[in-house]
Amino acid sequence: MKKALIKDYLIITFGCVVYAIAFDWFYVPNNLTCGGLTGIAQIIHHFIPALTVGTTLIAMNVPLYLLAYKHYGMDFLIKSLYAMALSSILVDVLASLYTFHPMDELLACLYGGVLLGAGCGLINRREANTGGTELLSWILKRRLPQLSLGNVMLGLDLTVIIAYAAVFRKIDNALYGGIALFVTSKVIDLFVYGGNSGKLAHIISAKESEITNALLAEGVGVTKLRAIGAYTNTDRPILLCAVRRREIITVKRIVKELDPDAFFIISDTSEVLGEGFGEYSPNGI
């Protein structure tokens, strides 16, 4: 348990480093809009100057962390506070050590989106986040289980960016920020869900027994589904196999060798949970 906790914090720390590099290298010098609570705070400050950006950010984050504690518990709260504090400190430290220069905006939003997504993805993978709309996305994800974490974040941040562009009339900045957000959301989903993705094979064959034995001998799990052929009205089992992407080659080879005429359906799966694959997380990301 202690080793697992140490591993969690080491990965969160590395994710914070990646996050800080992405923010200081690609976002700050190119004035890319990240959206999030920072963008909301800037809009509020524009209309109510007495409310500073920093004060507004804290005021918005406090209820979110209270909700996070209620839904996810103390362990999640501590990890997230650590990630938020460390990423903020690293952003300031890196900025004080080196000043990055502007680059082509398209390159900045593409590479910045990938790097920021990787940092956030590593942090989210260990069931933590850096606060703001990232934390709000976790809370909303409980209400919207059909959406991925990255898509929830994309919707929230994109809404803020559109509002930011309307208030400050920075359309180009918002468009580039939208591209960066899209890339970031996809990379986050890749890190959070990609490790459990796989292939799902449905096999219909007259030689289902031989194929089953050959697949089991290769360590591939097989489930037999009862089915009836509509044309022949005879029983014909369907073999169901959930495998990792690299293992689908083995499945194809076995089916082709034993029954070239087999009816074979292969589909992508975003997540496979259970024995030999990922484990279900009660946090539901």
Side-chain angles (χ1 to χ4, degrees), residues 1-10 75 79 126:
M1 185 66 180
K2 188 176 180 181
K3 288 184 178 179
L5 191 62
I6 292 173
K7 182 181 178 181
D8 282 348
Y9 277 93
L10 286 175
D75 186 51
K79 285 181 181 179
R126 311 318 295 185

Side-chain angles (χ1 to χ4, degrees), residues 28-51:
V28 174
N30 296 284
N31 296 313
L32 287 179
T33 303
C34 296
L37 293 192
T38 302
I40 296 175
Q42 288 174 317
I43 294 172
I44 293 174
H45 176 68
H46 175 75
F47 290 106
I48 311 175
L51 295 177

Side-chain angles (χ1 to χ4, degrees), residues 103-223:
M103 63 175 68
D104 179 82
E105 288 89 347
L106 186 58
L107 289 177
C109 66
L110 290 176
Y111 285 95
V114 169
L115 206 58
L116 194 73
C120 291
L122 286 168
I123 295 170
N124 282 294
R125 182 80 176 176
R126 311 318 295 185
E127 298 185 356
N129 61 64
T130 58
T133 49
E134 193 177 341
L135 179 55
L136 182 57
S137 298
W138 275 67
I139 296 170
L140 290 176
K141 182 70 175 66
R142 294 178 67 92
R143 301 283 183 179
L144 303 167
Q146 70 274 19
L147 297 178
S148 70
L149 187 65
N151 285 337
V152 176
M153 291 176 62
L154 176 63
L156 290 172
D157 285 330
L158 199 56
T159 302
V160 174
I161 282 182
I162 293 171
Y164 183 93
V167 171
F168 296 103
R169 301 184 184 280
K170 294 183 178 180
I171 304 300
D172 289 350
N173 180 273
L175 291 174
Y176 282 120
I179 295 173
L181 271 177
F182 179 79
V183 175
T184 296
S185 68
K186 296 306 174 186
V187 175
I188 287 175
D189 281 347
L190 181 64
F191 272 81
V192 174
Y193 306 110
N196 297 328
S197 65
K199 293 281 189 178
L200 189 64
H202 291 81
I203 308 163
I204 303 174
S205 170
K207 299 181 179 179
E208 50 90 13
S209 295
E210 294 93 325
I211 293 174
T212 299
N213 292 333
L215 290 173
L216 292 174
E218 292 287 342
V220 177
V222 182
T223 299

